[in-house]
Amino acid sequence: MAPKKPSCLHSLLLPLLTLLLPQADTRSFVVDRDHDRFLLDGAPFRYVSGSLHYFRVPRVLWADRLLKMRWSGLNAIQFYVPWNYHEPQPGVYNFNGSRDLIAFLNEAALANLLVILRPGPYICAEWEMGGLPSWLLRKPEIHLRTSDPDFLAAVDSWFKVLLPKIYPWLYHNGGNIISIQVENEYGSYGACDSSYMRHLAGLFRALLGEKILLFTTDGPEGLQCGSLQGLYTTVDFGPADNMTKIFTLLRKYEPHGPLVISEYYTGWLDYWGQNHSTWSVSAVTKGLENMLELGASVNMYMFHGGTNFGYWNGADKKGRFLPITTSYDYDAPISEAGDPTPKLFALRNVISKFQEVPLGPLPPPSPKMMLGPLTLHLVGHLLAFLDLLCPHGPINSILPMTFEAVKQDHGFMLYRTYLTHTIFEPTPFWVPNNGVHDRAYVMVDGVFQGVLERNMRDKLFLMGKLGSKLDILLENMGRLSFGSNSSDFKGLLEPPILGHTILTQWMMFPLKIDNLVKWWFPLQLLKRPHPQAPSGPTFYSKTFPIVGSVGDTFLYLPGWTKGQVWINGFNLGRYWTTRGPQQTLYVPRFLLFPKGALNRITLLELENVPLQPQVQFLDKPILNSTLHGLRINSLSADTLSASEPMELSGH
């Protein structure tokens, strides 16, 4: 049967509709080197962008954060793609739920925001291992971020999955991605492997075509090794840096075209034991105005920071190992809870001098909630649940094995052995060569003895009988995300020594604590608390209703020491009350059940429980309470003190 002929009216309308609809082949984003500017669809264009990370913001909150960024006057956003978030095991991919990258690109399009994409493979971002998957370290000799064939093979395989997904979202294809970064601040890494960078550039071109603008980003000191001919060179710096000097240096690498600052810092990250970082509104706004007056395109890092939920925080290495806090508030214009700050309104005022900003009021701060105090009940010592935490049983080895060797990516692993002779007097117990990565909670016959900590506490004194059970719970505090040119293996990297005896015959228990908390605990009746709470790694829990309306809130843990916390099975992240600066954990309201349902909070306290095991939910965060009186037994004379200010790193 022949197809019907279109009506005369249809014949007249089709050409008209074709002219009216935007055509992908008329869309372009290019560098106009003759006039030192960008052209968007042939017209002069400058972006004023802000960074946020979809992987630090639950999916239900994406639209809210993006709307506030658009209202602030931004016309673009910039974000990373963390490889380890999407390929948790080799060849196993996850783009569902809060990992749905395409859904996030769509939300950005709905907010009328263009996208500057930074897919790595390395991203830093203060994220676990800088976004690289820890399973790469199952080949112990691998050289990350180089032209090592093992590393390149993994990168190629990953990008052949990722880049075709984003190809339809390139601007010239009708999407909102105007440019893509190759690697990230490679000049700060130290390898300076130009063959590796050329390989990546060729891979991006092969999979994405020639039309998309590819660029590199480096701090001023990294431009020489980080830049590559054929990729547009951009720079990072903060309000305190000498803008004129940096732009003069940038012009040596990119003589013509627009000035681009890919990371202009609105705040800074926090380390456990350091002060909470705050950057003045006046310094940040003045720097932005000066750059916009020069016609530069600017991305503000961060515009909304978010949260390192679960085990996803990274770490730095500057004299010693410095893990990043759970909060990634960053003193950003939009707070961790998504609320506008005075910094946001000041930046919006600056942006309005150079381009139109959307009219209308900004959505108000989210409703906040207070609750408690709540008294938690003892569930039991971690060792009592070992058969549930490691249902497949231990792995046996003469010498202790790393997390990577037993395929334990995050969280905790228990090492167990038995004393081969009686120790009558307190005897030194240590791990040579700074071999604890990162914190070890030591128990003899279930009794907590103390902590060994990477670069910090290097020795305990133990006693025990022949056959006594020695347990060492190892915590991975986050793999290095910046500041190291070496792989960051976790666990016991060397066999421990007791007196003059090297301890052997180990059992390793990779622990699945999240599964226990989410699936097993809710099905069991809580045990009655013992008269005296045990010390060391112990579970506490509590069910509670919410009588009024549910709001965002901040979990406060006064008197608790250090551990992990879950709300209704969701891993909020780490707390470290005694070290600070962060004292509260952000709890988005969607994690809580409304009136008529019971909520459950679960804590794994790793060291010491307060006399009153209580928690509270506050309506304001506490992010700036560092205990400067903390005593630290350093392993090296050049180790930084707990309160010493840090030099800036990249992202």
Side-chain angles (χ1 to χ4, degrees):
M1 181 177 177
K4 293 182 179 179
K5 295 181 65 176
S7 67
C8 182
L9 181 61
H10 284 168
S11 299
L12 292 173
L13 285 176
L14 280 173
L16 180 60
L17 288 172
T18 302
L19 290 173
L20 291 175
L21 290 172
Q23 299 298 300
D25 59 5
T26 67
R27 293 163 61 95
S28 63
F29 178 76
V30 298
V31 174
D32 178 4
R33 296 185 184 275
D34 292 335
H35 300 92
D36 295 335
R37 63 189 181 182
F38 288 123
L39 297 176
L40 184 73
D41 300 335
F45 177 78
R46 179 249 299 281
Y47 64 73
V48 182
S49 169
S51 289
L52 86 162
H53 299 150
Y54 65 94
F55 42 93
R56 284 188 164 110
V57 179
R59 179 171 177 164
V60 296
L61 301 175
W62 287 350
D64 172 80
R65 305 312 194 246
L66 290 166
L67 175 65
K68 290 169 181 171
M69 294 178 77
R70 181 67 189 100
W71 183 92
S72 303
L74 306 183
N75 55 14
I77 59 168
Q78 183 199 85
F79 63 90
Y80 292 116
V81 179
W83 179 4
N84 54 9
Y85 198 57
H86 293 286
E87 192 179 0
Q89 298 298 327
V92 178
Y93 303 100
N94 188 345
F95 289 93
N96 301 316
S98 290
R99 291 171 167 82
D100 192 338
L101 171 62
I102 303 306
F104 184 73
L105 285 168
N106 187 60
E107 289 286 2
L110 293 174
N112 196 27
L113 289 162
L114 298 169
V115 169
I116 300 148
L117 191 67
R118 308 173 85 179
Y122 164 83
I123 63 170
C124 184
E126 287 75 59
W127 189 252
E128 152 74 15
M129 203 166 151
L132 300 177
S134 61
W135 49 257
L136 291 168
L137 302 183
R138 294 175 193 173
K139 296 183 176 179
E141 301 304 318
I142 195 168
H143 293 283
L144 304 174
R145 301 177 70 192
T146 70
S147 47
D148 179 335
D150 286 335
F151 183 67
L152 290 185
V155 169
D156 291 355
S157 177
W158 160 237
F159 277 139
K160 286 174 183 176
V161 171
L162 174 66
L163 297 185
K165 287 180 179 293
I166 66 172
Y167 180 79
W169 288 86
L170 303 183
Y171 186 78
H172 58 268
N173 291 334
N176 53 355
I177 300 174
I178 56 173
S179 60
I180 294 179
Q181 179 179 296
V182 177
E183 240 275 352
N184 182 55
E185 295 179 331
Y186 190 64
S188 299
Y189 185 52
C192 208
D193 185 343
S194 58
S195 296
Y196 165 63
M197 287 295 289
R198 286 194 296 270
H199 177 92
L200 288 182
L203 182 64
F204 277 54
R205 284 293 178 213
L207 294 171
L208 297 177
E210 296 294 329
K211 292 184 178 181
I212 186 67
L213 176 64
L214 300 180
F215 69 98
T216 60
T217 298
D218 286 281
E221 72 290 341
L223 288 171
Q224 182 174 357
C225 281
S227 59
L228 186 71
Q229 188 173 4
L231 307 180
Y232 200 77
T233 304
T234 74
V235 72
D236 302 342
F237 59 85
D241 293 307
N242 187 324
M243 182 181 70
T244 302
K245 182 178 179 181
I246 292 172
F247 281 159
T248 300
L249 177 63
L250 178 61
R251 279 302 184 205
K252 293 182 179 179
Y253 296 90
E254 205 61 75
H256 303 288
L259 296 168
V260 178
I261 306 92
S262 288
E263 291 183 10
Y264 174 64
Y265 303 122
T266 64
W268 202 248
L269 58 130
D270 287 345
Y271 304 105
W272 291 113
Q274 299 286 330
N275 290 318
H276 172 57
S277 297
T278 57
W279 288 31
S280 77
V281 173
S282 60
V284 173
T285 52
K286 181 181 178 181
L288 177 65
E289 186 162 5
N290 289 340
M291 288 183 287
L292 294 182
E293 285 177 346
L294 292 175
S297 283
V298 182
N299 174 73
M300 287 171 274
Y301 189 107
M302 297 290 296
F303 209 84
H304 170 56
T307 309
N308 293 313
F309 293 115
Y311 309 110
W312 285 112
N313 67 279
D316 277 356
K317 187 176 182 181
K318 299 171 181 174
R320 62 178 172 87
F321 178 73
L322 292 164
I324 311 297
T325 58
T326 300
S327 171
Y328 200 66
D329 176 84
Y330 212 85
D331 196 33
I334 298 175
S335 75
E336 183 178 11
D339 296 332
T341 68
K343 190 176 289 183
L344 182 147
F345 291 101
L347 289 170
R348 185 178 191 267
N349 183 56
V350 170
I351 295 169
S352 69
K353 299 177 183 179
F354 298 90
Q355 60 191 40
E356 290 187 12
V357 299
L359 299 175
L362 181 68
S366 64
K368 302 299 190 298
M369 178 186 78
M370 296 182 69
L371 183 67
L374 304 175
T375 300
L376 274 58
H377 303 298
L378 174 65
V379 180
H381 199 283
L382 177 139
L383 297 178
F385 299 99
L386 205 51
D387 57 336
L388 296 167
L389 290 166
C390 187
H392 298 296
I395 298 162
N396 295 286
S397 174
I398 295 174
L399 299 179
M401 301 169 69
T402 64
F403 277 51
E404 294 75 20
V406 301
K407 301 183 179 180
Q408 176 79 346
D409 295 307
H410 309 293
F412 301 85
M413 185 157 71
L414 185 78
Y415 293 79
R416 172 175 286 176
T417 191
Y418 295 89
L419 299 187
T420 57
H421 59 280
T422 299
I423 307 294
F424 293 102
E425 300 291 336
T427 300
F429 172 75
W430 81 101
V431 182
N433 299 319
N434 197 23
V436 171
H437 284 199
D438 300 305
R439 275 176 73 86
Y441 306 90
V442 181
M443 294 156 279
V444 175
D445 289 330
V447 179
F448 183 55
Q449 304 295 313
V451 176
L452 299 177
E453 184 175 352
R454 180 174 180 176
N455 295 123
M456 301 275 276
R457 300 172 185 170
D458 63 334
K459 190 178 296 183
L460 292 173
F461 290 87
L462 303 184
M463 297 171 60
K465 298 177 182 178
L466 169 67
S468 287
K469 182 172 55 181
L470 174 64
D471 286 317
I472 308 173
L473 180 67
L474 253 294
E475 180 184 11
N476 169 1
M477 282 292 293
R479 291 182 179 84
L480 293 171
S481 50
F482 185 87
S484 174
N485 199 27
S486 59
S487 300
D488 189 16
F489 296 94
K490 297 301 183 183
L492 291 178
L493 275 57
E494 299 273 352
I497 297 175
L498 181 58
H500 299 289
T501 303
I502 297 175
L503 300 180
T504 58
Q505 303 302 328
W506 290 92
M507 292 184 285
M508 276 74 60
F509 297 81
L511 304 184
K512 306 299 181 186
I513 297 178
D514 290 74
N515 291 346
L516 182 79
V517 171
K518 187 172 184 179
W519 303 113
W520 192 85
F521 280 172
L523 301 177
Q524 308 301 315
L525 293 174
L526 294 179
K527 298 179 181 180
R528 300 302 300 171
H530 300 288
Q532 186 174 4
S535 63
T538 310
F539 288 105
Y540 280 76
S541 190
K542 171 75 173 178
T543 57
F544 61 95
I546 296 176
V547 177
S549 58
V550 177
D552 285 351
T553 188
F554 303 91
L555 177 64
Y556 181 43
L557 303 113
W560 297 81
T561 305
K562 186 184 190 302
Q564 205 82 17
V565 60
W566 294 260
I567 297 286
N568 293 323
F570 180 87
N571 192 333
L572 279 185
R574 312 175 198 272
Y575 67 89
W576 203 345
T577 308
T578 55
R579 181 138 327 163
Q582 178 178 358
Q583 299 292 312
T584 58
L585 296 178
Y586 171 52
V587 184
R589 60 189 177 276
F590 78 91
L591 291 179
L592 297 165
F593 301 137
K595 185 177 180 180
L598 285 177
N599 295 275
R600 179 183 297 275
I601 179 172
T602 305
L603 261 66
L604 171 61
E605 169 57 53
L606 295 166
E607 298 185 44
N608 297 300
V609 177
L611 292 176
Q612 292 291 326
Q614 295 182 333
V615 300
Q616 300 178 52
F617 292 94
L618 307 181
D619 59 358
K620 293 182 176 64
I622 304 173
L623 299 176
N624 57 352
S625 180
T626 298
L627 301 181
H628 293 294
L630 180 71
R631 293 182 64 190
I632 295 173
N633 178 20
S634 171
L635 291 183
S636 60
D638 61 349
T639 294
L640 295 162
S641 72
S643 59
E644 186 174 343
M646 305 301 303
E647 65 181 58
L648 302 187
S649 70
H651 296 277

